[in-house]
Each structure stands twice: as C-alpha cells, then as structure tokens.
Amino acid sequence: MKTLYLIDGYAQFFRAYHAIRSPMSSPVTGEPTNMTFGFVGMLLKLLREEGSIGEGGNHADYLAVALDVSGDKGTFRSQIYPEYKATRPEPPEDLEPQVDRCLGMLETIGVPVLGAEGFEADDVIATLATRLTRDLADLRIRIISKDKDLKQILSDRVELYDIHKDESYTAQRLREELGITPDQVIDVLALMGDSADNIPGVEGIGEKTAAKLIAQYGSLDDLLAHADEIRGKRGEKIRAADGRLLLNRELVTLRTDLDLSLDLPDADRRHLRLSELEPILRELGFNRFRDELRTLLGDAAPDAASSPPIGGLFEQQTLDSPAMHADYRAITTLDDLDAFLERVRQTGFVAIDTETTSLRPVQADLCGVSLSVEEGTGVYIPVRSPDPASHLDEATVIERLRPVLEDPDIAKVGHNLKYDLIVLRRCGIRLRGHDNPSEADAGSTLRGDTLIASFLLDPLRSSHSLDALALALLDYSTMPIRDLIGSGKEQRTFDQVPLDLATPYASEDADISLRLARRLIPQVEREDLARLWREVELPLVDVLASLEFNGILVDPEELQRQEARLRGQIDELRERIREVAIEEAGRAFDPDSPKQLAGILFNKPDHDEPGLGLRPLKRGKTGPSTDAEVLEKLSLDESVQTRLPELILEYRQLTKLVNTYLVNLRECINEQTGRIHASFHQTGAATGRLSSSDPNLQNIPIRTPIGREIRRAFIAPPGRVLISADYSQIELRLLAHLSQDAGLIEAFKSGEDIHRAVAARIHRIPIDEVTPEQRSGAKMVNFGIVYGITPFGLARRLNISTSEAQEIIDDYKRRFRGITTFLHECVEQARTHGFVQTMLGRRRPVPEIESTNPARKALAERIAINSVVQGSAADLIKQAMVDLHPHLDWRDTLGEESAPPDPEHLSGVMMLLQIHDELVFEAPQESGGHARDVIVQTMESAMRLRVPLVVDAHISQTWYEGK
C-alpha cells in the first residue's frame, strides 16, 4: 500500500512563522525568511524521515499541498455566517511575501498545490481524501495537520500526522480518547463551538463534555430531541442554543464534493525536481538545509535521475557556484615562500587568514597561514598537518613572515582579523598595516576588515560571515568547513586534515577575503562612513584583540564559595516552597516545572490537582504563563494571599546565578593563564554596542546585591590593582547634547543630582523640596524617554496610576521641549532617509518606520530614537578605547607584557574589559593612581559635548570593590 501526504499549507505556514520569531533575512535579497526557514525544514524532514519509496510503512510515495482560497466574496462559510473568523487578526506584514516564496518554491520542485475558490484547505483535503480512498483501494493518506475539524474524515486509511512531534492521530485513537466515531465529530464540534473561528458553542461545554453527550445520545439531532431530559443549567443552555447549533453544524461540516482532482503521477515523490531547490536554499542563506538536500539527492531513487548527482568536496564546489577560476597551492619550501613574500612586497598589499586547532584564539595552535595578492589565487603555508615532514616548521615560517606581516606599509585585509591578530600575536607576530593608513597612504582603500565593512554598510544583515557575504556579493559558495573536519563527536581538528584538502579550503578564505575587500572597502570609503571606519572601527579591532588576549584574572575558589553558599540557600528555599504549597494548596510541586507551578497557582481548589485558584494574567501556548512579569505582578498584588510568587522569583534568581554564571564562569577560566578571555564583538548589535561571549560578561547581574557579589571573583594579581572607569549617566548627557535642550543642559552644568534637578523643573519647586517619590519619577522618565516609555510602563514601575504617570510624562515634555523636538526629528530622519545616524555617522536602518501595523510602526519609532542616543554612546566608548590603546600594554605571549613605542606609555597598564559604559584595567599597584588619572582624562575628552563628560573611576583589588 502506498501513502499520499497532504499538507495543510497555511496551517504549516503559520506554525513555522510563530515557531521562529527571531528576525531572519536572506543574505542575498534581504527578504524575511523566518517562516520560509521553518517550512523548508518541515518539508525536508518529511522527505528525509518519510522519504523512502516502497511498499508499506509510512513512506512518502506522493506529496501535495492544500490551500485556502477565499475569493472576492470570502468562503462559503463567511457567506452564510458573516461573523465566521471575523475576530482573527490580520496576518503579519512579513508573512505574505514568505508565503509567496514558499509557493514559488513548491512550484519549482514540482509539488502540486491545490485549492478551490471559496473553500478552505480542510475542504480540499476532505474532498481528496474521500475521493481517492474510495477509488483506490491500495492508497492510504496522512494529513499533515493538527486541525480538529479534520478528525471527521478519519478512517482506517486516513490519519492526521504531526510531523514535528512524529505523532499520528487515527480513528482508533479518537474512539479511545473521546468514545466517538469520526462521523460524530461534526456534532461534537457544533456543540462545543470554536473560538478561533468565532463559532460560539454551548457555554460551559468543552470537547470532552460534548463528546460524552454525543456518545450518549448518538447524534446532535437526538441530543436536541431529548434536551428536556438534561437537568440544570446545562440543559437550559443546550435548549437555548437549539437554532444556533444547527448553523454550527453546517459551518463545521467539511465539503467532500469540490470540483477538483489530483492525478497521483503528478504528486509522485520520484518526480520531484529536488536539485532545483539548491539555488533557492543558497539564495536564502539556508546552508544547513543544503547539506540535508545533498543527502536526499544522494539517496534518491533511480527514477529521480533528472537530479544531478552530488559528488565529493571539490565536485560540489563546481555544482554550487558559477564558474570562477581559482589557482590555489601549498607553499612547502623556503624558496617558494621567499619568492611569494617578495611578490607581496612588490604588490604592496596582501589578504591574510589563519587556520588553527580551535575557535578560541587564545588557546589555538597555528596550523597554517593563507595569503592572496590576486583575485582567483591563493597560497597556503602549512605548519601543522598529518604529515609534518611534507612542509616547513612553524618557527621557520614565522621568521620569514614576520617582516612582511609587521610592515605597516604593506596593506593587509582579512575577514574577522581580530582572530588572526591574536593567533599571530601568540606566535610572536604583531600584524600591522591592517588598520589606519598613514597620511602618505591615505588614498589606499585596500586595507581593513571585511567583517567590519559589511557591518557598517548593513548592520541589519542576518549574517556577516565570510560564507554569507561570498554568496550574497560574489554569488559564490565557499567550501563548508564541516566537509573537512566533520561535526559532533567525530569532529577532528584542522591539523588532522590532509594537505591536499586543507590547501584549497584555506587558500579560498584568503582569496574570498581579497575579493570582498575590493568590493566592500571602497564602498565604505565612498559613503559617509569613512571617519567612523578609519578612526574608530578599524583601530578598535586591535583594541579588542588586546582585551581578549589580556583576559581578566578570576578566583575559582571564590566562585566555588559563592556557589556553595547559594546552593544552600536554594535548598532552604525549595523546602520553604514545599511547605507553603502543602499548607496553602494541599500538595507539593516541582519549583523547576512551570507547568506544575501554573497548576498550583491557577487550578481551582476542587480540581483533580488542586491549586490556589488565582486568576491567570497571561497565557502561553501550553496554558497560563508563570514568567517573571506574571510572578512580579502577583507578588505585588495585595489581594493575592500567598508568598509563592515571591518565593519562586527568588528561587529562579538564585538558580540562574548558580547555573548561568558561577558554574559557567568557572568553566571558562583558561587553565594556562588562570584568566577568562571573553570574546568581544563589534558586529553584535545594530546600534554599534559591543557584545561579548564565551562567557557573556555583559549579562553579569548588577541590579541586586547578590548578583553584584559575583564581581568579587574578578581580581588583580599580587602587586597589581584593578581600575574601573565608568561613564556617568552617559545616555542622558548625550540626550542633552543632541537635543540642545537648555533646561537639561543647565541641569548637568549645575553639577546637581540630575534626577532631583529634573524633578524640580517638572514640578516647579526648589530642588531641596523634591521628595524621593518625585525623584524616582524623574529618574524613570529620564532613563525611559529614549526607549519610548509609556504611561502604563511608568505606572507599573512606580506603582502609581496610569493617569498620574501620564501627568509626569506630560510635565516632563512641557519643561524639556527640546527633547520632544529631538525625538520627533529622529523619527522624521528615519522616515525621510530610511535610517538614522549617530554622532559619528553610524547608520541604523529602520525598515518598518512606514509600517501599516501600529505596533510595528511604534516599535520602529522607538528604535529610531534609541539608536541615535545609544549608538552615540557606543561611538563614545569605542573612541575612548581607541584613544587609550596606544598608551597601554598587552601581552606578548601568555605571561609577558609588551609596550609599544610611546613616550606617554603607561607602563604595565592593560585594558581588560568593556562592559556597557565601563572599562576595566589592570595596573601596577605603585602607579595605579597616575594610571587612573590618565584614564579619566582620556575618557572625558573622547568627545566634545555641550555638557561635561564625567567618569567615575576606582582602584581596588576586586572588580566588586571598584563599584
């Protein structure tokens, strides 16, 4: 028996859209792709897991998609009942273009898509399933849908299938769960109604009760005929709904007589043109799915001969990419190396990339260096491989490379050069010529980092990786690294890759970097981004390399002490939660289970699993939400007579501190240095803010005393101190400067407490009469104004009424009119140009500023405002880091320090961390005071503003004491 899979198209489109809410876009076209990604994943999973063709089982022998087609008059259901589905919201703006993309893709590969004007996909499926199983005795049908309406067409050869959970729903399961047959489903649906379709059922009757009544009486007609026998409120409500229920039955009955048909040969999986899916996946940037497709094509049945074969690594390069000449070779002798380096000197520029044994540069061993001076060419100079005798050793290669790579007059380009800087520094090479060109060289555009160039030109691009940019800008698919080293438990390091495979892969990286540099860097120079590029972002690559290389010393024993202490508190809290739950609800529960917590809080006391009967404040996909917002509201609600929400909030905070921070931080300590060497990223946020990972130091909690304790573990070595330097209220100061509001500027120039000064102006009272409540209100508005704070949000934070909050905001805007004007100008700039700019010219596109969706438009306006202020703050601290860098040390090797030739050099002082508006340094104890003064002076003079820049700096032995 063969199997036809019928996909409910829009059901899967919506499911994919809501399953992946993170923004995704094509690196080539820029179109949204989150839904397309989910739908393609579902389709490939179906072909992969159900794709074997043969007799029996669940093999996907045939495949088709059914769609809703409303037509000008809607569906036949909306014509007989205009309120049908009237309460459904409009689909998201970014859904429809993705639907079009998916339908075009289905047409390209040959999947039949069926619909009938005026009818829904369920009617199409019902018609096909009924007709095909009647005419073909050897065919079974699996419907990829969870729609309960489709249960009415279940039979011994028709079932529903949830591909995401790999669960089938059959007629037998229907009988076991609800005690009814598929024929009775219609009557059950009519009785219970459907809120999603705006079909009102009988109040108080859900699926189980409806099924029980229909099973008892046999049908809806018989139930209504005996409605007088049903006692109490239920009987009254059924009798009152008599006429309504007959209309409901007409609405929920699926049509099986549509004028459409499906020729099974057209749906034969063996006739799918799967090879034509590959360029679509490449254009969309779905590289992971391209691997799955290659596997499918390799496993295809002989009848699928129209699909081109998938060969080995280098044959795949030909299949994936347009014809592109490439001359890649390995350099394994001194003569060849010297000859190539002489060519580099004559050319005056070179693209560079390194291959290593690890993604973490501080612990990576060099495997080789790849170089390119001409597009379409590249060389790989190996120093580690499975056959060390076949090439030069590391010491010899480094000795020859050093003069060229350290020559500032030879321009260097690369992709993510920060990584290469650290790797080469560990080998004793200080890469130069990649950052700012000298005045004599100012006309040169071929130097820099293509990762940074791409980010400056398009900060909203979903990926700035070398692979994504090659595909988007060069229409070229690079060789996947996993084809060389594998993945998962079988993954090997690059030094284990044979040289004949390593050479083209490594050489290609340098070649592609050169090609991208020739396209991206001149574009940056032509745009109004040259100053930001040359004076801040390129020099910052060096700065961040030094931060990562330096690392910060961490005391693992302090982390263990804090972990032990918190685990004790967690155990006590767990026991207290158990006691309170038993006392108040009569039973215990697992505090780590949101579902069990929801039961305790929101189930009625007479429920099978009794609870406290609280009113749910928000619902998620699986029931009442118990997220932090809900628990905070419940804990502040005086009418809620339980301490459980407060106790759970504390429990979650402590468990997160232990698992996310204390344990993770200890695992991130480098065994060789005793330091944490976090990675800092210039391309992590569209506003220009730096981000960090491995670990994410930006997220170390500082709002609570117990969270701040973690900073005690960050320490200075013996004889040295930490210097913490933090910009004071930087975003407010930038707001004053950018808005030119006289009142706010004067408040800063007066040197008074800014929040008290603003409160005094709002309320028109002397500053010494400002109450703590008034200061809190001013502080919230001060910090919230650039984030588009709403009266509701302010009211919730201050625990006041919405009208009081609105009055505070209105008074603020009246007293500081320059700010209101500035906020309006930010939004107008976004509308006029499609982007906003920071003080140094950084651009942030705001594509949804003209959205017809009010929520999206309001969010875009907040982004426009926030990006100018927060982006300018990012520019400022980056400028300060660049200004400080020439005066500081960074480590030559893991343990020794190196000072660049600078008469104002602060000997022994190193920059370690950048966290929000704060910089952390390490300095010799005896010169810590002088270093602090120079750091403060440099940071405060990084930009000239209409208000003074103020830096708070402290010397301490631990990061905690510095705050």
Side-chain angles (χ1 to χ4, degrees):
M1 185 172 290
K2 293 190 175 183
T3 304
L4 165 66
Y5 278 77
L6 288 175
I7 299 174
D8 184 341
Y10 274 102
Q12 291 304 313
F13 293 154
F14 276 102
R15 181 166 185 172
Y17 182 87
H18 291 291
I20 306 174
R21 298 309 305 268
S22 302
M24 294 177 63
S25 61
S26 161
V28 178
T29 66
E31 67 188 275
T33 58
N34 61 308
M35 185 278 278
T36 310
F37 184 86
F39 183 78
V40 171
M42 180 278 298
L43 186 63
L44 291 177
K45 181 179 181 181
L46 170 63
L47 295 173
R48 182 180 67 248
E49 297 182 2
E50 315 295 333
S52 300
I53 299 171
E55 298 297 324
N58 296 322
H59 310 305
D61 299 283
Y62 307 103
L63 179 65
V65 174
L67 288 184
D68 305 331
V69 184
S70 295
D72 296 336
K73 298 180 180 180
T75 66
F76 83 93
R77 292 182 178 87
S78 60
Q79 291 176 37
I80 62 177
Y81 179 54
E83 289 79 17
Y84 180 70
K85 292 189 176 181
T87 56
R88 288 198 176 185
E90 289 294 317
E93 287 183 339
D94 57 344
L95 176 66
E96 200 58 36
Q98 297 188 73
V99 169
D100 292 341
R101 166 64 88 166
C102 289
L103 294 179
M105 178 192 67
L106 291 169
E107 180 181 4
T108 297
I109 64 176
V111 176
V113 178
L114 299 103
E117 186 169 343
F119 297 94
E120 299 174 61
D122 289 355
D123 300 305
V124 174
I125 292 171
T127 295
L128 292 174
T130 302
R131 190 172 298 159
L132 290 171
T133 53
R134 180 192 64 205
D135 297 342
L136 301 171
D138 63 342
L139 182 72
R140 62 196 294 266
I141 294 176
R142 302 189 97 193
I143 303 167
I144 298 183
S145 176
K146 295 175 62 178
D147 194 329
K148 57 183 177 296
D149 293 355
L150 288 165
K151 293 178 182 178
Q152 62 190 268
I153 62 169
L154 294 173
S155 70
D156 58 341
R157 288 191 285 135
V158 178
E159 64 184 52
L160 302 183
Y161 178 53
D162 185 343
I163 188 171
H164 304 281
K165 295 182 179 179
D166 192 24
E167 292 180 355
S168 294
Y169 198 97
T170 62
Q172 180 180 348
R173 182 173 171 184
L174 177 69
R175 286 190 292 271
E176 292 172 352
E177 289 187 356
L178 297 178
I180 58 174
T181 66
D183 292 338
Q184 293 174 310
V185 168
I186 295 172
D187 290 346
V188 170
L189 293 173
L191 194 59
M192 61 184 281
D194 189 338
S195 59
D197 290 344
N198 199 31
I199 301 176
V202 177
E203 183 183 354
I205 293 183
E207 184 180 48
K208 290 185 178 179
T209 302
K212 184 177 180 181
L213 288 169
I214 296 300
Q216 178 181 350
Y217 289 95
S219 69
L220 180 62
D221 291 333
D222 288 338
L223 170 65
L224 294 177
H226 295 84
D228 292 339
E229 302 172 6
I230 302 174
R231 299 179 180 179
K233 293 289 185 182
R234 179 175 294 170
E236 292 178 12
K237 291 176 180 177
I238 291 174
R239 291 188 289 275
D242 192 326
R244 168 81 243 179
L245 293 177
L246 298 178
L247 173 61
N248 284 5
R249 183 163 61 185
E250 185 175 1
L251 292 172
V252 300
T253 300
L254 298 183
R255 295 283 293 272
T256 61
D257 58 349
L258 303 190
D259 184 17
L260 58 81
S261 62
L262 172 65
D263 293 330
L264 281 182
D266 294 339
D268 194 321
R269 177 188 176 274
R270 294 174 297 181
H271 296 162
L272 293 179
R273 299 180 293 274
L274 290 181
S275 63
E276 296 186 27
L277 184 58
E278 202 283 333
I280 298 174
L281 299 180
R282 178 153 47 93
E283 183 179 48
L284 295 173
F286 295 170
N287 292 330
R288 188 180 104 190
F289 291 153
R290 291 168 65 199
D291 288 344
E292 292 190 27
L293 179 62
R294 290 166 188 157
T295 302
L296 281 170
L297 290 171
D299 292 343
D303 288 352
S306 58
S307 300
I310 299 297
L313 173 66
F314 303 114
E315 289 81 3
Q316 180 61 41
Q317 184 63 29
T318 303
L319 173 68
D320 284 349
S321 307
M324 183 179 283
H325 171 71
D327 178 13
Y328 299 149
R329 63 188 178 92
I331 289 181
T332 58
T333 68
L334 270 179
D335 288 344
D336 283 350
L337 179 56
D338 290 340
F340 186 83
L341 293 179
E342 181 57 31
R343 186 181 175 195
V344 172
R345 293 186 182 94
Q346 293 173 358
T347 306
F349 62 81
V350 66
I352 183 170
D353 186 67
T354 58
E355 300 300 337
T356 66
T357 58
S358 173
L359 292 175
R360 303 293 298 273
V362 174
Q363 59 194 43
D365 291 325
L366 181 69
C367 295
V369 177
S370 51
L371 305 172
S372 177
V373 294
E374 180 182 352
E375 290 192 21
T377 70
V379 301
Y380 179 55
I381 312 160
V383 300
R384 284 182 174 82
S385 78
D387 184 12
S390 66
H391 54 76
L392 300 171
D393 62 276
E394 180 178 327
T396 301
V397 171
I398 294 301
E399 180 185 358
R400 286 299 204 275
L401 287 178
R402 185 183 292 108
V404 171
L405 298 187
E406 292 189 345
D407 187 342
D409 294 327
I410 298 176
K412 317 298 191 311
V413 294
H415 191 84
N416 191 21
L417 277 173
K418 174 168 62 70
Y419 182 91
D420 305 302
L421 278 165
I422 299 172
V423 170
L424 292 171
R425 192 61 177 164
R426 286 195 66 199
C427 297
I429 294 177
R430 189 164 214 151
L431 185 67
R432 301 189 62 193
H434 62 281
D435 52 2
N436 254 356
S438 63
E439 290 186 11
D441 211 33
S444 170
T445 57
L446 188 62
R447 62 174 73 224
D449 192 324
T450 52
L451 173 73
I452 309 304
S454 172
F455 176 69
L456 288 181
L457 290 167
D458 187 3
L460 298 188
R461 180 184 287 278
S462 58
S463 173
H464 300 277
S465 70
L466 188 73
D467 296 347
L469 293 179
L471 183 62
L473 303 181
L474 307 176
D475 194 23
Y476 182 84
S477 294
T478 55
M479 303 175 192
I481 181 64
R482 57 184 168 275
D483 284 2
L484 277 74
I485 65 174
S487 60
K489 294 180 179 179
E490 303 302 318
Q491 189 177 84
R492 58 182 175 177
T493 52
F494 200 82
D495 57 339
Q496 298 172 305
V497 176
L499 199 55
D500 61 333
L501 297 179
T503 295
Y505 173 85
S507 301
E508 181 187 70
D509 282 353
D511 177 26
I512 296 301
S513 296
L514 181 59
R515 296 174 195 247
L516 290 173
R518 290 198 182 279
R519 289 154 178 78
L520 290 172
I521 295 177
Q523 188 177 348
V524 173
E525 296 281 358
R526 287 193 302 267
E527 300 285 347
D528 188 21
L529 295 166
R531 181 193 169 197
L532 182 65
W533 163 253
R534 289 172 175 261
E535 298 181 12
V536 178
E537 293 293 348
L538 278 184
L540 190 67
V541 175
D542 260 327
V543 181
L544 297 183
S546 72
L547 261 67
E548 293 188 21
F549 203 98
N550 291 336
I552 185 168
L553 192 64
V554 178
D555 182 358
E557 294 181 359
E558 174 63 24
L559 292 174
Q560 285 182 317
R561 285 192 293 270
Q562 292 191 29
E563 180 186 345
R565 183 170 66 252
L566 291 186
R567 287 196 185 279
Q569 295 180 32
I570 289 170
D571 291 341
E572 293 175 4
L573 263 177
R574 182 183 285 272
E575 180 59 25
R576 177 61 179 147
I577 289 169
R578 190 186 73 84
E579 292 172 353
V580 170
I582 292 174
E583 178 183 342
E584 296 180 349
R587 64 187 181 92
F589 72 102
D590 181 0
D592 293 312
S593 169
K595 183 177 181 180
Q596 292 188 32
L597 173 61
I600 286 287
L601 294 177
F602 305 119
N603 286 354
K604 300 294 184 183
D606 59 352
H607 192 275
D608 291 341
E609 295 180 343
L612 300 176
L614 302 181
R615 180 176 63 86
L617 303 182
K618 185 167 67 174
R619 288 192 174 272
K621 292 182 179 180
T622 59
S625 172
T626 60
D627 64 16
E629 181 184 11
V630 169
L631 295 179
E632 286 171 3
K633 286 182 178 179
L634 290 174
S635 65
L636 293 173
D637 189 339
E638 295 181 358
S639 66
V640 174
Q641 301 297 310
T642 177
R643 286 195 60 210
L644 277 179
E646 178 185 351
L647 291 171
I648 292 294
L649 280 172
E650 186 179 358
Y651 177 82
R652 287 181 179 176
Q653 179 194 37
L654 294 185
T655 53
K656 183 176 181 178
L657 285 173
V658 169
N659 299 326
T660 305
Y661 299 108
L662 296 177
V663 173
N664 186 39
L665 286 174
R666 196 167 68 247
E667 292 175 349
C668 287
I669 297 174
N670 185 292
E671 293 182 1
Q672 187 177 353
T673 66
R675 293 172 176 257
I676 283 179
H677 300 267
S679 297
F680 291 88
H681 310 289
Q682 287 172 262
T683 61
T687 58
R689 284 275 192 181
L690 294 175
S691 61
S692 64
S693 63
D694 306 313
N696 183 357
L697 298 175
Q698 313 282 345
N699 278 356
I700 292 180
I702 58 173
R703 294 183 181 275
T704 62
I706 197 166
R708 287 194 292 272
E709 284 285 318
I710 294 175
R711 293 191 173 198
R712 289 189 186 277
F714 293 78
I715 61 175
R720 297 175 68 81
V721 293
L722 297 181
I723 302 173
S724 303
D726 195 349
Y727 277 113
S728 173
Q729 299 168 331
I730 187 55
E731 290 186 6
L732 279 180
R733 294 175 190 272
L734 286 168
L735 180 62
H737 171 81
L738 291 165
S739 68
Q740 303 182 51
D741 184 273
L744 196 58
I745 289 174
E746 179 56 34
F748 273 114
K749 285 186 173 180
S750 68
E752 297 282 352
D753 178 324
I754 185 64
H755 304 308
R756 293 177 64 85
V758 168
R761 286 182 174 272
I762 291 175
H763 298 288
R764 303 186 181 187
I765 58 177
I767 194 168
D768 56 359
E769 294 181 12
V770 172
T771 66
E773 290 76 19
Q774 290 170 333
R775 182 185 183 278
S776 293
K779 181 178 181 180
M780 287 297 178
V781 180
N782 275 337
F783 286 126
I785 196 71
V786 296
Y787 297 96
I789 194 168
T790 63
F792 174 77
L794 181 62
R796 193 178 68 184
R797 295 183 190 183
L798 297 178
N799 199 24
I800 59 177
S801 69
T802 303
S803 59
E804 290 176 293
Q806 181 69 66
E807 185 177 349
I808 292 175
I809 293 174
D810 291 343
D811 287 341
Y812 186 98
K813 291 183 176 180
R814 277 194 293 268
R815 296 298 293 165
F816 300 98
R817 295 188 182 276
I819 295 177
T820 303
T821 301
F822 165 71
L823 301 182
H824 176 73
E825 289 173 348
C826 290
V827 173
E828 285 305 307
Q829 183 187 34
R831 288 201 180 105
T832 302
H833 302 289
F835 61 84
V836 292
Q837 282 185 296
T838 67
M839 289 173 61
L840 294 187
R842 184 186 308 280
R843 294 180 180 179
R844 164 69 186 267
V846 191
E848 294 195 325
I849 195 69
E850 298 290 356
S851 174
T852 57
N853 182 307
R856 290 178 180 271
K857 184 177 182 179
L859 175 60
E861 291 177 352
R862 292 196 297 272
I863 287 174
I865 295 166
N866 174 249
S867 295
V868 176
V869 178
Q870 194 178 101
S872 294
D875 291 348
L876 169 63
I877 199 160
K878 286 181 175 180
Q879 183 69 68
M881 295 170 73
V882 169
D883 292 347
L884 281 162
H885 184 61
H887 309 304
L888 306 177
D889 282 345
W890 70 305
R891 293 170 180 266
D892 241 345
T893 61
L894 295 185
E896 300 176 5
E897 293 162 12
S898 170
D902 181 353
E904 298 180 8
H905 175 63
L906 295 174
S907 179
V909 180
M910 302 186 301
M911 194 185 308
L912 309 183
L913 301 178
Q914 190 280 321
I915 308 294
H916 305 303
D917 302 321
E918 177 185 7
L919 296 175
V920 179
F921 305 81
E922 186 182 299
Q925 190 166 355
E926 63 275 10
S927 58
H930 172 64
R932 177 194 57 198
D933 295 343
V934 173
I935 289 167
V936 169
Q937 180 183 4
T938 304
M939 291 177 68
E940 290 183 344
S941 59
M943 281 186 183
R944 293 178 62 86
L945 304 182
R946 295 180 177 88
V947 298
L949 281 174
V950 175
V951 172
D952 298 322
H954 304 275
I955 300 173
S956 59
Q957 289 298 313
T958 72
W959 190 12
Y960 175 87
E961 294 165 351
K963 298 298 289 183

